[in-house]
Coordinates of all heavy atoms in Angstrom, one line a residue:
M1 N 0.9 -1.2 0.0 CA 0.0 0.1 0.0 C 0.9 1.2 0.0 O 1.8 1.3 0.7 CB -0.9 0.0 1.2 CG -1.8 1.2 1.3 SD -3.1 1.2 2.7 CE -2.3 0.5 3.9
I2 N 0.5 2.2 -0.9 CA 1.3 3.4 -1.0 C 0.4 4.5 -0.5 O -0.7 4.6 -1.0 CB 1.7 3.7 -2.4 CG1 2.6 2.5 -2.9 CG2 2.6 5.0 -2.5 CD1 2.7 2.5 -4.4
R3 N 0.9 5.4 0.4 CA 0.0 6.4 0.9 C 0.7 7.7 0.3 O 1.8 8.0 0.4 CB 0.0 6.6 2.4 CG -0.8 5.4 2.9 CD -0.7 5.6 4.6 NE -1.4 6.7 5.1 CZ -2.6 6.7 5.8 NH1 -3.1 5.5 5.9 NH2 -3.1 7.7 6.1
L4 N -0.2 8.6 -0.3 CA 0.2 9.8 -0.9 C -0.6 10.9 -0.4 O -1.9 10.9 -0.4 CB 0.1 9.8 -2.4 CG 1.0 8.7 -3.1 CD1 0.7 8.8 -4.7 CD2 2.5 9.1 -2.9
N5 N -0.1 12.1 -0.1 CA -0.8 13.3 0.1 C -1.1 13.9 -1.2 O -0.5 13.6 -2.3 CB -0.1 14.3 1.1 CG -0.3 13.9 2.4 OD1 -1.4 13.8 2.9 ND2 0.8 13.8 3.2
M6 N -2.1 14.7 -1.4 CA -2.5 15.3 -2.6 C -1.5 15.9 -3.4 O -1.3 15.8 -4.6 CB -3.7 16.4 -2.5 CG -4.9 15.7 -2.0 SD -5.6 14.6 -3.3 CE -7.1 14.1 -2.6
H7 N -0.6 16.8 -2.8 CA 0.5 17.5 -3.5 C 1.4 16.5 -4.1 O 1.9 16.6 -5.2 CB 1.2 18.4 -2.5 CG 2.4 19.1 -3.1 ND1 2.2 20.1 -4.1 CD2 3.7 18.8 -3.0 CE1 3.4 20.5 -4.5 NE2 4.4 19.8 -3.8
E8 N 1.8 15.4 -3.3 CA 2.8 14.5 -3.9 C 2.0 13.7 -5.1 O 2.7 13.4 -6.1 CB 3.1 13.4 -2.8 CG 4.0 12.4 -3.2 CD 5.5 12.7 -3.4 OE1 5.8 13.9 -3.1 OE2 6.2 11.9 -4.0
A9 N 0.8 13.5 -5.0 CA 0.1 12.7 -6.0 C 0.0 13.6 -7.3 O 0.1 13.1 -8.4 CB -1.3 12.4 -5.5
K10 N -0.3 14.8 -7.1 CA -0.4 15.8 -8.3 C 1.0 15.8 -9.0 O 1.1 15.9 -10.2 CB -0.8 17.2 -7.9 CG -2.2 17.2 -7.6 CD -2.6 18.7 -7.5 CE -2.5 19.2 -6.1 NZ -3.2 20.6 -6.0
T11 N 2.1 15.8 -8.2 CA 3.4 15.9 -8.8 C 3.9 14.7 -9.5 O 4.6 14.7 -10.5 CB 4.4 16.3 -7.7 OG1 3.9 17.5 -7.0 CG2 5.8 16.7 -8.2
H12 N 3.6 13.4 -8.8 CA 4.3 12.3 -9.3 C 3.3 11.1 -9.5 O 3.7 10.0 -9.5 CB 5.3 11.7 -8.2 CG 6.4 12.8 -7.9 ND1 7.4 13.1 -8.8 CD2 6.7 13.6 -6.9 CE1 8.2 13.9 -8.3 NE2 7.8 14.3 -7.2
L13 N 2.0 11.4 -9.8 CA 1.1 10.3 -9.9 C 1.4 9.4 -11.0 O 1.3 8.1 -10.8 CB -0.3 10.9 -10.1 CG -1.5 9.8 -10.2 CD1 -1.5 9.1 -8.8 CD2 -2.8 10.5 -10.5
S14 N 1.8 9.8 -12.1 CA 2.1 8.8 -13.3 C 3.1 8.0 -12.9 O 3.2 6.8 -13.2 CB 2.4 9.7 -14.6 OG 3.5 10.5 -14.4
R15 N 4.2 8.4 -12.2 CA 5.2 7.5 -11.7 C 4.8 6.3 -10.8 O 5.0 5.2 -11.0 CB 6.4 8.3 -11.1 CG 7.6 7.4 -10.7 CD 8.6 8.1 -9.9 NE 8.1 8.2 -8.6 CZ 8.6 9.0 -7.7 NH1 9.7 9.8 -7.9 NH2 8.2 9.1 -6.4
Y16 N 3.9 6.8 -9.8 CA 3.4 5.8 -8.9 C 2.5 4.9 -9.5 O 2.5 3.6 -9.2 CB 2.6 6.5 -7.7 CG 3.6 7.1 -6.7 CD1 3.8 8.5 -6.7 CD2 4.3 6.3 -5.9 CE1 4.6 9.1 -5.7 CE2 5.2 7.0 -5.0 CZ 5.3 8.4 -4.9 OH 6.3 8.9 -4.0
V17 N 1.6 5.2 -10.5 CA 0.7 4.4 -11.1 C 1.5 3.4 -12.0 O 1.2 2.1 -12.1 CB -0.3 5.1 -12.1 CG1 -1.0 4.2 -13.0 CG2 -1.2 5.8 -11.2
A18 N 2.6 3.8 -12.7 CA 3.5 2.8 -13.4 C 4.1 1.9 -12.5 O 4.2 0.7 -13.0 CB 4.6 3.8 -14.2
E19 N 4.3 2.1 -11.4 CA 5.0 1.1 -10.5 C 4.0 0.3 -9.6 O 4.4 -0.7 -9.0 CB 5.9 1.9 -9.3 CG 7.0 2.6 -9.9 CD 7.7 3.5 -8.9 OE1 7.4 3.5 -7.7 OE2 8.6 4.2 -9.3
L20 N 2.7 0.6 -9.8 CA 1.6 -0.2 -9.1 C 1.6 -1.6 -9.5 O 1.5 -1.9 -10.8 CB 0.3 0.6 -9.4 CG -0.9 0.2 -8.5 CD1 -0.6 0.5 -7.0 CD2 -2.0 1.0 -8.9
K21 N 1.7 -2.5 -8.6 CA 1.5 -3.9 -8.9 C 0.2 -4.4 -8.6 O -0.5 -3.9 -7.9 CB 2.7 -4.7 -8.1 CG 4.0 -4.3 -8.4 CD 5.0 -5.0 -7.5 CE 6.4 -4.6 -7.7 NZ 6.8 -3.2 -7.3
E22 N -0.1 -5.7 -9.2 CA -1.5 -6.3 -9.0 C -1.6 -6.6 -7.5 O -0.7 -7.1 -6.8 CB -1.6 -7.4 -9.8 CG -3.0 -8.0 -9.7 CD -3.3 -9.2 -10.6 OE1 -2.6 -9.1 -11.7 OE2 -4.1 -10.0 -10.3
G23 N -2.7 -6.2 -7.0 CA -3.0 -6.4 -5.4 C -2.6 -5.2 -4.6 O -2.9 -5.1 -3.4
E24 N -1.8 -4.2 -5.1 CA -1.3 -3.1 -4.4 C -2.4 -2.0 -4.6 O -3.2 -2.0 -5.5 CB 0.0 -2.5 -5.0 CG 1.1 -2.7 -4.0 CD 2.3 -2.0 -4.6 OE1 2.4 -1.5 -5.8 OE2 3.4 -2.0 -3.9
T25 N -2.4 -1.0 -3.6 CA -3.4 0.2 -3.7 C -2.5 1.4 -3.5 O -1.5 1.4 -2.7 CB -4.6 0.1 -2.8 OG1 -4.0 -0.1 -1.4 CG2 -5.5 -1.0 -3.2
I26 N -3.0 2.5 -4.0 CA -2.5 3.8 -3.6 C -3.6 4.5 -2.9 O -4.8 4.6 -3.3 CB -2.1 4.7 -4.9 CG1 -1.0 4.0 -5.6 CG2 -1.8 6.1 -4.5 CD1 -0.7 4.7 -7.0
I27 N -3.3 5.0 -1.7 CA -4.2 5.7 -0.8 C -4.0 7.1 -1.0 O -2.9 7.6 -0.6 CB -4.2 5.2 0.6 CG1 -4.4 3.7 0.8 CG2 -5.1 6.0 1.5 CD1 -5.8 3.1 0.4
L28 N -4.9 7.9 -1.5 CA -4.7 9.3 -1.5 C -5.2 10.0 -0.2 O -6.3 9.7 0.2 CB -5.5 9.9 -2.8 CG -5.1 9.5 -4.1 CD1 -6.0 10.1 -5.2 CD2 -3.6 9.8 -4.3
C29 N -4.5 10.8 0.3 CA -4.7 11.5 1.6 C -4.9 13.0 1.4 O -4.2 13.6 0.6 CB -3.7 11.2 2.6 SG -3.4 9.4 2.9
R30 N -5.7 13.6 2.2 CA -5.8 15.1 2.3 C -5.4 15.3 3.8 O -6.2 14.9 4.7 CB -7.2 15.6 1.9 CG -7.3 17.1 2.1 CD -8.7 17.5 1.6 NE -8.9 17.3 0.1 CZ -9.9 16.5 -0.4 NH1 -10.8 16.1 0.4 NH2 -10.0 16.5 -1.7
R31 N -4.3 16.0 4.0 CA -3.8 16.3 5.3 C -3.6 15.0 6.2 O -4.1 14.9 7.3 CB -4.6 17.4 6.1 CG -4.6 18.7 5.3 CD -5.5 19.6 6.2 NE -5.5 20.9 5.5 CZ -6.7 21.3 4.9 NH1 -7.8 20.7 5.0 NH2 -6.7 22.5 4.3
N32 N -3.1 13.9 5.5 CA -2.8 12.7 6.2 C -4.0 11.9 6.5 O -4.0 10.9 7.1 CB -1.9 12.8 7.3 CG -0.5 13.3 6.9 OD1 0.0 12.9 5.8 ND2 0.0 14.1 7.8
K33 N -5.1 12.3 6.0 CA -6.4 11.5 6.2 C -6.9 10.9 4.9 O -7.1 11.6 3.9 CB -7.6 12.5 6.7 CG -7.2 13.1 8.0 CD -8.3 12.9 9.0 CE -8.0 13.7 10.3 NZ -7.8 13.0 11.3
P34 N -7.0 9.6 4.9 CA -7.3 8.9 3.6 C -8.6 9.4 3.1 O -9.6 9.5 3.8 CB -7.4 7.4 4.0 CG -6.6 7.3 5.3 CD -6.8 8.7 5.9
V35 N -8.7 9.6 1.7 CA -10.0 10.2 1.1 C -10.4 9.3 -0.2 O -11.5 9.3 -0.6 CB -9.9 11.7 0.7 CG1 -9.7 12.5 1.9 CG2 -8.8 11.9 -0.2
A36 N -9.3 8.7 -0.8 CA -9.6 7.8 -2.0 C -8.5 6.8 -2.1 O -7.5 6.7 -1.5 CB -9.6 8.8 -3.2
E37 N -9.0 5.8 -3.0 CA -8.1 4.6 -3.3 C -7.9 4.5 -4.8 O -8.9 4.6 -5.4 CB -8.8 3.4 -2.6 CG -7.9 2.1 -2.8 CD -8.7 1.0 -2.0 OE1 -8.9 1.1 -0.8 OE2 -9.2 0.2 -2.8
I38 N -6.7 4.2 -5.2 CA -6.5 3.7 -6.6 C -5.9 2.4 -6.7 O -5.0 2.2 -5.9 CB -5.4 4.8 -7.3 CG1 -6.0 6.2 -7.2 CG2 -5.1 4.5 -8.7 CD1 -5.0 7.3 -7.7
R39 N -6.4 1.6 -7.4 CA -5.8 0.2 -7.7 C -5.9 -0.2 -9.1 O -6.8 0.3 -9.8 CB -6.7 -0.7 -6.8 CG -8.1 -0.7 -6.9 CD -8.8 -1.4 -5.8 NE -10.1 -0.8 -5.6 CZ -11.2 -1.3 -5.6 NH1 -11.2 -2.6 -5.6 NH2 -12.3 -0.6 -5.7
P40 N -5.1 -1.1 -9.5 CA -5.1 -1.5 -10.9 C -6.4 -2.3 -11.2 O -7.0 -3.0 -10.4 CB -3.9 -2.4 -11.0 CG -3.6 -2.9 -9.6 CD -4.2 -1.8 -8.6
L41 N -6.8 -2.2 -12.5 CA -7.8 -2.9 -13.0 C -7.4 -4.3 -13.4 O -6.2 -4.6 -13.6 CB -8.4 -2.3 -14.3 CG -9.0 -1.0 -14.1 CD1 -9.3 -0.3 -15.5 CD2 -10.3 -1.0 -13.3
P42 N -8.3 -5.4 -13.2 CA -7.9 -6.7 -13.6 C -7.6 -6.7 -15.1 O -8.2 -6.0 -16.0 CB -9.1 -7.6 -13.3 CG -10.2 -6.6 -13.2 CD -9.7 -5.3 -12.9
P43 N -6.7 -7.6 -15.5 CA -6.4 -7.8 -16.9 C -7.6 -8.2 -17.7 O -8.4 -9.0 -17.2 CB -5.2 -8.9 -16.9 CG -5.3 -9.5 -15.6 CD -6.0 -8.7 -14.6
E44 N -7.6 -7.8 -19.0 CA -8.7 -8.1 -19.8 C -8.5 -9.7 -20.2 O -7.4 -10.1 -20.3 CB -8.7 -7.4 -21.1 CG -9.1 -5.9 -20.9 CD -9.2 -5.3 -22.3 OE1 -9.6 -5.9 -23.2 OE2 -9.1 -4.0 -22.3
R45 N -9.6 -10.3 -20.4 CA -9.7 -11.7 -20.9 C -9.0 -11.9 -22.2 O -9.4 -11.0 -23.0 CB -11.0 -12.3 -20.7 CG -11.6 -12.4 -19.5 CD -13.1 -13.1 -19.6 NE -13.7 -13.0 -18.4 CZ -13.9 -14.1 -17.5 NH1 -13.2 -15.1 -17.8 NH2 -14.4 -14.0 -16.4
K46 N -8.2 -12.8 -22.4 CA -7.6 -13.1 -23.8 C -8.7 -13.8 -24.6 O -8.8 -13.7 -25.8 CB -6.4 -13.6 -23.7 CG -5.4 -12.9 -22.8 CD -4.0 -12.7 -23.6 CE -3.0 -12.1 -22.7 NZ -3.0 -10.8 -22.6
A47 N -9.4 -14.8 -24.0 CA -10.3 -15.6 -24.7 C -11.7 -15.4 -24.2 O -11.8 -14.9 -23.1 CB -9.9 -17.0 -24.6
R48 N -12.7 -15.7 -25.0 CA -14.0 -15.6 -24.5 C -14.4 -16.7 -23.5 O -13.7 -17.7 -23.5 CB -15.0 -15.8 -25.8 CG -14.8 -14.7 -26.8 CD -15.9 -14.8 -27.9 NE -16.9 -14.0 -27.2 CZ -18.0 -13.6 -28.0 NH1 -18.1 -14.0 -29.1 NH2 -19.1 -13.0 -27.3
R49 N -15.2 -16.3 -22.6 CA -15.6 -17.2 -21.5 C -16.5 -18.3 -22.2 O -17.5 -18.1 -22.9 CB -16.4 -16.5 -20.5 CG -16.8 -17.3 -19.3 CD -17.3 -16.4 -18.2 NE -17.8 -17.3 -17.1 CZ -18.5 -17.0 -16.1 NH1 -19.0 -15.7 -16.2 NH2 -19.0 -17.8 -15.3
P50 N -16.2 -19.5 -21.9 CA -17.0 -20.7 -22.5 C -18.4 -20.7 -21.9 O -18.6 -20.4 -20.7 CB -16.2 -21.9 -22.2 CG -15.3 -21.6 -21.1 CD -15.1 -20.1 -21.1
I51 N -19.3 -21.1 -22.7 CA -20.7 -21.3 -22.3 C -20.9 -22.6 -21.6 O -20.3 -23.6 -22.0 CB -21.7 -21.1 -23.4 CG1 -21.6 -19.6 -24.0 CG2 -23.1 -21.4 -23.0 CD1 -22.4 -19.4 -25.3
G52 N -21.7 -22.6 -20.5 CA -22.0 -23.9 -19.9 C -21.0 -24.4 -18.9 O -20.9 -25.6 -18.6
L53 N -20.3 -23.5 -18.2 CA -19.5 -23.9 -17.2 C -20.0 -24.6 -16.0 O -19.4 -25.5 -15.4 CB -18.6 -22.6 -16.6 CG -17.7 -22.0 -17.6 CD1 -17.1 -20.7 -16.9 CD2 -16.5 -22.9 -18.1
C54 N -21.3 -24.4 -15.7 CA -21.9 -25.0 -14.6 C -22.9 -26.1 -14.9 O -23.7 -26.6 -14.2 CB -22.7 -24.0 -13.7 SG -21.6 -22.8 -12.9
R55 N -22.8 -26.5 -16.2 CA -23.7 -27.6 -16.7 C -23.6 -28.8 -15.9 O -22.6 -29.4 -15.5 CB -23.3 -28.0 -18.1 CG -24.3 -29.0 -18.8 CD -23.9 -29.3 -20.2 NE -24.2 -28.0 -20.9 CZ -23.6 -27.6 -22.1 NH1 -22.9 -28.5 -22.7 NH2 -23.9 -26.6 -22.7
G56 N -24.8 -29.3 -15.4 CA -24.9 -30.5 -14.6 C -24.8 -30.3 -13.1 O -25.0 -31.2 -12.4
Q57 N -24.4 -29.0 -12.7 CA -24.3 -28.7 -11.3 C -25.5 -28.4 -10.5 O -25.6 -28.4 -9.4 CB -23.2 -27.7 -11.1 CG -21.8 -28.1 -11.5 CD -20.7 -27.1 -11.3 OE1 -21.1 -26.0 -10.6 NE2 -19.6 -27.3 -11.8
F58 N -26.6 -27.9 -11.3 CA -27.8 -27.6 -10.8 C -28.9 -27.8 -11.8 O -28.6 -27.8 -13.0 CB -27.9 -26.1 -10.1 CG -27.7 -25.0 -11.2 CD1 -28.9 -24.5 -11.7 CD2 -26.5 -24.6 -11.6 CE1 -28.7 -23.5 -12.7 CE2 -26.3 -23.7 -12.6 CZ -27.4 -23.1 -13.2
T59 N -30.2 -27.9 -11.3 CA -31.2 -28.0 -12.2 C -32.3 -26.9 -11.9 O -32.4 -26.4 -10.8 CB -32.0 -29.3 -12.1 OG1 -32.3 -29.5 -10.8 CG2 -31.0 -30.5 -12.5
I60 N -33.0 -26.4 -13.0 CA -34.0 -25.4 -12.9 C -35.4 -26.1 -12.7 O -35.6 -26.8 -13.7 CB -34.0 -24.4 -14.0 CG1 -32.6 -23.7 -13.9 CG2 -35.1 -23.4 -13.9 CD1 -32.4 -22.8 -15.2
P61 N -36.1 -26.0 -11.8 CA -37.5 -26.7 -11.6 C -38.4 -26.1 -12.8 O -38.2 -24.9 -13.1 CB -37.9 -26.4 -10.3 CG -37.2 -25.1 -9.7 CD -35.8 -25.1 -10.5
E62 N -39.4 -26.9 -13.2 CA -40.3 -26.5 -14.0 C -41.1 -25.3 -13.6 O -41.5 -24.4 -14.3 CB -41.3 -27.6 -14.5 CG -40.6 -28.6 -15.4 CD -40.3 -28.1 -16.7 OE1 -41.1 -27.3 -17.3 OE2 -39.1 -28.4 -17.3
S63 N -41.4 -25.2 -12.3 CA -42.1 -24.1 -11.6 C -41.4 -22.8 -11.9 O -42.1 -21.7 -11.8 CB -42.3 -24.3 -10.1 OG -41.0 -24.4 -9.5
F64 N -40.2 -22.7 -12.2 CA -39.4 -21.4 -12.5 C -40.1 -20.8 -13.7 O -40.1 -19.5 -13.7 CB -37.9 -21.8 -12.9 CG -37.2 -20.5 -13.2 CD1 -36.6 -19.7 -12.2 CD2 -36.9 -20.2 -14.5 CE1 -35.9 -18.6 -12.5 CE2 -36.2 -19.1 -14.8 CZ -35.7 -18.3 -13.8
F65 N -40.6 -21.4 -14.6 CA -41.2 -20.8 -15.8 C -42.7 -20.5 -15.7 O -43.3 -20.0 -16.5 CB -41.0 -21.8 -17.0 CG -39.6 -22.0 -17.3 CD1 -38.9 -23.1 -16.8 CD2 -38.8 -21.0 -17.9 CE1 -37.6 -23.4 -17.0 CE2 -37.4 -21.3 -18.1 CZ -36.8 -22.4 -17.7
D66 N -43.3 -20.9 -14.5 CA -44.7 -20.5 -14.2 C -44.9 -18.9 -14.2 O -44.0 -18.3 -13.8 CB -45.2 -21.2 -13.0 CG -45.2 -22.6 -13.0 OD1 -45.2 -23.2 -14.1 OD2 -45.3 -23.2 -12.0
P67 N -46.1 -18.5 -14.7 CA -46.3 -17.0 -14.6 C -46.3 -16.6 -13.1 O -46.7 -17.4 -12.2 CB -47.7 -16.9 -15.1 CG -48.0 -18.1 -15.8 CD -47.2 -19.2 -15.1
L68 N -45.9 -15.3 -12.8 CA -45.9 -14.8 -11.5 C -47.3 -14.5 -11.1 O -48.2 -14.2 -11.9 CB -45.0 -13.4 -11.5 CG -43.5 -13.7 -11.8 CD1 -42.9 -12.4 -11.9 CD2 -42.9 -14.5 -10.6
P69 N -47.6 -14.5 -9.8 CA -48.9 -14.2 -9.2 C -49.3 -12.7 -9.7 O -48.4 -11.8 -9.8 CB -48.9 -14.3 -7.7 CG -47.6 -15.1 -7.6 CD -46.6 -14.9 -8.7
D70 N -50.6 -12.5 -9.8 CA -51.0 -11.1 -10.2 C -50.6 -10.0 -9.2 O -50.2 -8.9 -9.6 CB -52.5 -11.0 -10.5 CG -52.9 -11.9 -11.7 OD1 -52.1 -12.0 -12.7 OD2 -54.0 -12.3 -11.8
D71 N -50.8 -10.3 -7.9 CA -50.4 -9.3 -6.9 C -48.9 -9.0 -7.0 O -48.5 -7.9 -6.7 CB -50.9 -9.7 -5.5 CG -50.2 -11.2 -5.0 OD1 -49.8 -11.9 -5.9 OD2 -50.1 -11.3 -3.8
F72 N -48.1 -9.9 -7.3 CA -46.6 -9.7 -7.4 C -46.4 -8.8 -8.6 O -45.6 -7.9 -8.5 CB -45.9 -11.0 -7.6 CG -44.5 -11.1 -7.3 CD1 -43.9 -11.0 -6.0 CD2 -43.6 -11.0 -8.4 CE1 -42.5 -11.0 -5.8 CE2 -42.2 -11.0 -8.1 CZ -41.7 -11.0 -6.8
I73 N -47.0 -9.1 -9.6 CA -46.8 -8.2 -10.9 C -47.3 -6.9 -10.6 O -46.7 -5.7 -11.0 CB -47.5 -8.8 -12.1 CG1 -46.7 -10.1 -12.5 CG2 -47.5 -7.9 -13.3 CD1 -47.5 -10.9 -13.6
D74 N -48.5 -6.6 -10.0 CA -49.0 -5.4 -9.7 C -48.2 -4.6 -8.7 O -48.0 -3.4 -8.8 CB -50.4 -5.7 -8.9 CG -51.1 -4.4 -8.8 OD1 -51.4 -3.7 -9.8 OD2 -51.7 -4.1 -7.7
A75 N -47.4 -5.4 -7.8 CA -46.5 -4.5 -6.9 C -45.4 -4.0 -7.7 O -44.8 -2.9 -7.4 CB -46.0 -5.5 -5.8
F76 N -44.8 -4.7 -8.7 CA -43.8 -4.1 -9.6 C -44.3 -3.0 -10.4 O -43.6 -1.9 -10.5 CB -43.3 -5.2 -10.6 CG -42.2 -6.0 -10.0 CD1 -42.4 -7.3 -9.6 CD2 -41.0 -5.6 -9.8 CE1 -41.4 -8.1 -9.1 CE2 -39.9 -6.2 -9.3 CZ -40.2 -7.7 -9.0
E77 N -45.5 -3.1 -10.9 CA -45.9 -2.0 -11.8 C -46.5 -0.8 -11.0 O -46.5 0.4 -11.5 CB -47.1 -2.5 -12.6 CG -46.6 -3.5 -13.7 CD -47.7 -4.2 -14.4 OE1 -48.9 -4.1 -14.1 OE2 -47.4 -5.0 -15.4
N78 N -47.1 -1.0 -9.8 CA -47.7 0.2 -9.1 C -47.1 0.4 -7.7 O -47.5 1.2 -7.0 CB -49.2 -0.2 -8.9 CG -49.9 -0.3 -10.2 OD1 -49.6 0.4 -11.1 ND2 -50.7 -1.4 -10.4
G79 N -46.1 -0.4 -7.3 CA -45.6 -0.1 -6.0 C -46.2 -1.1 -5.0 O -47.3 -1.6 -5.3
P80 N -45.6 -1.3 -3.9 CA -46.2 -2.2 -2.9 C -47.3 -1.7 -2.2 O -47.5 -0.5 -2.1 CB -45.0 -2.4 -1.8 CG -44.2 -1.2 -2.0 CD -44.3 -0.8 -3.4
V81 N -48.3 -2.6 -1.8 CA -49.5 -2.1 -1.1 C -49.3 -2.6 0.4 O -49.0 -3.8 0.6 CB -50.8 -2.8 -1.7 CG1 -52.0 -2.4 -0.8 CG2 -50.9 -2.3 -3.1
F82 N -49.4 -1.7 1.3 CA -49.3 -1.9 2.7 C -50.6 -2.1 3.3 O -51.6 -1.3 3.0 CB -48.5 -0.9 3.4 CG -47.0 -0.8 2.9 CD1 -46.7 0.3 2.0 CD2 -46.0 -1.7 3.2 CE1 -45.4 0.4 1.6 CE2 -44.8 -1.6 2.7 CZ -44.5 -0.5 1.9
P83 N -50.8 -3.0 4.2 CA -52.2 -3.5 4.7 C -52.9 -2.2 5.4 O -54.0 -2.1 5.5 CB -51.9 -4.5 5.7 CG -50.5 -5.0 5.6 CD -49.9 -3.9 4.7
D84 N -52.1 -1.4 6.0 CA -52.8 -0.3 6.8 C -53.0 1.0 6.0 O -53.4 2.0 6.5 CB -51.9 0.0 8.1 CG -50.5 0.3 7.8 OD1 -50.0 -0.1 6.7 OD2 -49.8 1.0 8.6
E85 N -53.0 0.9 4.7 CA -53.3 2.1 3.8 C -54.7 2.0 3.4 O -55.4 1.1 3.3 CB -52.4 2.0 2.4 CG -50.9 2.4 2.8 CD -50.2 2.4 1.5 OE1 -50.7 2.1 0.4 OE2 -49.1 2.9 1.6

């Protein structure tokens, strides 16, 4: 973890970001109080993710495809109804 005050960050931020390793963070501070965090993004995938990675590990019951109850759909469209209204 690298802690930088704002002045140091403004002056040398590109150098610190270039040295940033995976799993490390830069903590930006204002008057020695942490206010923000900078961390590297994960690397982009080189290959597409294969379809069906969890095939055979679970099943979807037929009831999953049943229509939702009318009161449930009405709550989505008009907001919830509370009994004491």
